Amino acid sequence: MKKFALVGAAGYIAPRHMKAIKETGHDLVACLDPNDSVGIIDSYYPNAHFFTEFERFDRHLDKRARSGEGLDYISICSPNYLHDSHVRFALRSGSDAICEKPLVLNPWNIDGLLDMEKSTGRKVNTILQLRLHPSIIALREKIQQQQPKQKFEVDLTYITSRGQWYQASWKGDEKKSGGIATNIGVHFFDMLHFLFGDLQDNQLHFSNATTASGYLEYQHARVRWFLSIDEKSLPAQVRLKGQRTYRSITIDGEEIEFSGGFTDLHTMSYQHILSGNGFGLEDNFVAIKTVSDIRNMQPKSSLAHQHPFIA
Ligand code: NAD
């Protein structure tokens, strides 16, 4: 049975990690979060130690390691800008890391982590859960069979309404979350690279605190993308039905259905990691460079490649 610790245990995504550790038959022994709203731990691991101070968490892990009870993995569910620091702590403590998306905010942060993997001999695993989605895997196989052909024409639209709290939290602070394209988009940009190969062009057409839109060209696709957390961006027919989320991906005009099958992807990610097949640092490079470049671009409109939701 492998031993885990969890950083960021009071947050939204942490229970998926607790569940994944449970469902894969392993043990969560320690949790850290400066926020103590962590009653959820009782549903999974009531005996886990809990710390609100990093130093006490560090002391606990150090004591365990010195008594031969060291951890195998530290799972990281903290805000995005803290990931690289928490990954370094995991590796230095002699554990492998399992890090939430986005691994880091900028590609050069990955270089530092690669060095650290070498010097500690430990591994960084990342959650790229869409790569494990059965419909995405099936689509990738279909696309690979159809090559070589002209590039596919892809429209990606994802609107996931968020309330006022979003902008008041770390998620609304670009320095902490990376902004909309990073925080909401990185899943999809990784999926596009996984489906369509190397990235060849990256344009930003519109960007504000709630919405971003642009164009990405891959080896095998031209993609117009639109991401928003603003419910006013929802198509009228979706809003009338009272829905707050709209997700659409079309390839050559045909809608791709992958709305189901999302819930167990963390457990599936853990299964892959535990069998030594986790997605490592290099797997993240293209998507992290994509979002970092988007963050540092000035938006410019483009008649040729603009997403239809940008008026
Ligand atoms: P959240 O704000 O709900 O949770 C973050 C937690 O980290 C909070 O409880 C906060 O108190 C804690 N925290 C803050 N500073 C810390 C520190 N120094 N040390 C330890 N803990 C600290 O956010 P969330 O939505 O749970 O997101 C957490 C991470 O998971 C983010 O990186 C996010 O991008 C990612 N995420 C992934 C998915 C997915 O589908 N894979 C979905 C949502 C979020």
Side-chain angles (χ1 to χ4, degrees), residues 43 61 80 122 142 165 191 208 262 268 271 287:
S43 305
L61 301 198
N80 303 347
R122 307 306 311 192
K142 194 170 144 198
W165 68 267
M191 179 194 78
N208 68 16
F262 270 99
M268 217 186 267
Q271 283 159 347

Side-chain angles (χ1 to χ4, degrees), residues 67-301:
S67 59
E69 286 284 299
L71 301 176
D72 300 289
Y73 293 95
I74 299 185
S75 299
I76 296 157
C77 303
S78 48
N80 303 347
Y81 73 112
L82 301 175
H83 287 174
D84 60 327
S85 175
H86 288 152
V87 167
R88 280 192 295 275
F89 169 72
L91 302 188
R92 269 200 307 266
S93 318
S95 308
D96 287 352
I98 299 178
C99 188
E100 263 300 346
K101 66 80 199 167
L103 170 64
V104 287
L105 296 184
N106 292 302
W108 51 89
N109 304 136
I110 299 181
D111 298 336
L113 296 179
L114 281 165
D115 288 347
M116 193 100 190
E117 269 192 338
K118 272 196 216 110
S119 64
T120 58
R122 307 306 311 192
K123 179 170 161 61
V124 182
N125 300 282
T126 58
I127 302 287
L128 300 177
Q129 80 251 38
L130 289 184
R131 293 191 187 202
L132 300 177
H133 193 296
S135 310
I136 302 295
I137 293 171
L139 179 61
R140 186 172 190 245
E141 278 160 16
K142 194 170 144 198
I143 288 168
Q144 282 176 346
Q145 278 158 16
Q146 283 176 30
Q147 290 166 11
K149 75 170 281 289
Q150 291 175 329
K151 293 193 184 203
F152 295 97
E153 302 293 339
V154 178
D155 277 353
L156 185 154
T157 314
Y158 184 52
I159 302 163
T160 177
S161 311
R162 296 286 191 272
Q164 300 294 335
W165 68 267
Y166 189 98
Q167 299 301 347
S169 78
W170 66 267
K171 296 185 183 192
D173 180 344
E174 190 181 85
K175 289 200 174 62
K176 296 184 174 178
S177 70
I180 296 296
T182 303
N183 198 42
I184 308 279
V186 71
H187 280 303
F188 294 106
F189 299 141
D190 179 67
M191 179 194 78
L192 291 168
H193 161 56
F194 179 66
L195 291 173
F196 300 115
D198 290 342
L199 182 62
Q200 299 175 334
D201 191 12
N202 184 353
Q203 300 176 13
L204 180 67
H205 301 149
F206 180 85
S207 173
N208 68 16
T210 58
T211 302
S213 181
Y215 171 77
L216 291 161
E217 188 162 336
Y218 294 87
Q219 219 174 338
H220 300 296
R222 282 187 278 266
V223 183
R224 303 186 298 183
W225 60 270
F226 180 93
L227 299 168
S228 180
I229 58 163
D230 181 356
E231 66 177 328
K232 292 198 278 304
S233 306
L234 288 166
Q237 75 276 17
V238 175
R239 227 182 311 162
L240 283 173
K241 279 194 240 156
Q243 292 172 0
R244 290 178 52 81
T245 299
Y246 174 75
R247 177 170 44 212
S248 162
I249 299 177
T250 60
I251 301 186
D252 289 348
E254 196 185 316
E255 189 71 43
I256 303 303
E257 180 45 56
F258 73 111
S259 42
F262 270 99
T263 44
D264 291 327
L265 294 177
H266 276 78
T267 298
M268 217 186 267
S269 299
Y270 271 64
Q271 283 159 347
H272 279 250
I273 291 166
L274 286 155
S275 60
N277 298 315
F279 297 114
L281 291 172
E282 280 98 344
D283 293 312
N284 288 265
F285 192 80
V286 171
I288 297 298
K289 178 162 172 20
T290 307
V291 294
S292 172
D293 288 349
I294 290 172
R295 198 180 317 124
N296 291 303
M297 261 182 234
Q298 284 306 317
K300 254 193 240 149
S301 59

Side-chain angles (χ1 to χ4, degrees), residues 2-6 14-29 45 73 75 98 266-267 270 274:
K2 303 283 185 200
K3 288 190 280 302
F4 284 76
L6 181 57
R16 303 247 194 114
H17 289 255
M18 296 178 198
K19 182 165 176 267
I21 297 167
K22 191 99 210 169
E23 287 179 346
T24 51
H26 298 284
D27 195 14
L28 178 63
V29 300
Y45 291 99
Y73 293 95
S75 299
I98 299 178
H266 276 78
T267 298
Y270 271 64
L274 286 155

